[in-house]
Amino acid sequence: MAFNFDQWVDRSHSESVKWDKYHDRDIIPLWVADSDFLSPPAVIDALHQRVAHGVFGYGHPSPELIKVFTRRMVERYNWCIKPEWLIFLPGLVCGLNLCVRAFTSDDDGTIAPTPIYPPFRKAAMFVRRSQLSIPMQLHDRRWLPDLPSVARQLTGREKLLLLCNPHNPGGTVYRRDELLAQQQFAQAHELIVCSDEIHCDLLLEPGMRHIPFATLNEDAALRSVTLMSPSKTFNIAGLGASMAIVPNPELRRALCRERRGIVPEVDVLALVAAQAAYRHGQPWLDAQLTYLRGNRDLVMECINALPGLQLQPVEATYLAWIDCSGLPVDNPHVFFEQAGVGLSPGLDFGDRRFVRLNFGCQRDLLLRALQRMSNAVQALMG
């Protein structure tokens, strides 16, 4: 089946967070991480059938959803997951927050890479936990955490290491030795690990493999909570279906205690969408990845041809982490907004010199945004 990712979908009247931000301004929104593509036909068809049923009472994950997800983990990662390891959540961000609350107390601290997806920082801030930052540094044009630098700052009160694999916003897909270094760091300092792997299906380099942190070895499995979701992969983020995979029963009980009375069960339509996506969505995903590679290459070519801007190779995600430190501007986010392109401000991720661009959109829209950015930079730099 052919899938048309160039098809324009008007989101301006759909209560879209992404598009409503600039609804009354001529600004192209390429910021928050949802894509502008129609979801897979199999997902849409499954939702139509469920809506036609007409009753939307409380639900729970079906045995078929658990089966297709666990089979996917075996086929893709040789990871044999027991059904009792799974905790279904109405979103991945609540999983980050649950981990901070379940595994740290008032005087404990967390550790996370910087720059990082903003909810990592907010999850610690919301409950007044300290957070040590692991600087992400360039090594052969790949963003990697500088573990030795943070090791010297540890106080012994740190309890939780937050990882993001693939890394958002840097786009790094960690290799086995790089993950092992993080696992050994966690082991040496007796840290529980929360690994956000929501972008694991969005690998842009052919032949590259995602390695779940928990599959490294027994120690990694028993000290970790892995967060996954079909939401970014199949553009169903607004439906909210995620999974925490927790092999250690003690950690699992702690998470379940923390969610009681606060985090609801997953919506029935989200469960239907997740099952259809995992069961029937792979051809659509394969086609989407081809399209995203083309978009990624356009962004790389355009940005790196402009003075004052630099973009390292994006191995995964549909997000480009653009270094604007060469521009003579105080706030690159505002600068590009004024040029008619709405990007995510780097300050939210921990580095104001950057902006993050979402290229999960129709190519014509992306080309128009890149042209606006190019015109603004060339006018600024002469």
Side-chain angles (χ1 to χ4, degrees), residues 111 132-137 139 144-154 161 177-178 181-182 184-186 188-189:
I111 307 171
L132 280 176
S133 294
I134 308 174
M136 296 294 287
Q137 297 186 340
H139 295 269
L144 296 174
D146 182 8
L147 294 173
S149 70
V150 77
R152 295 187 290 268
Q153 304 175 50
L154 296 181
L161 174 62
D177 61 320
E178 295 161 355
Q182 296 178 74
Q184 290 160 7
F185 176 86
H189 300 289

Side-chain angles (χ1 to χ4, degrees), residues 5 129 171 220 281 308 330 335 352 366 380:
F5 294 96
R129 305 292 193 262
D330 292 330
F335 171 74
R352 64 178 296 117
L366 179 62
L380 176 70

Side-chain angles (χ1 to χ4, degrees), residues 118-136:
F120 280 68
R121 297 152 57 85
K122 293 178 181 178
M125 179 187 68
F126 288 154
V127 285
R128 299 179 176 84
R129 305 292 193 262
S130 64
Q131 188 167 93
L132 280 176
S133 294
I134 308 174
M136 296 294 287

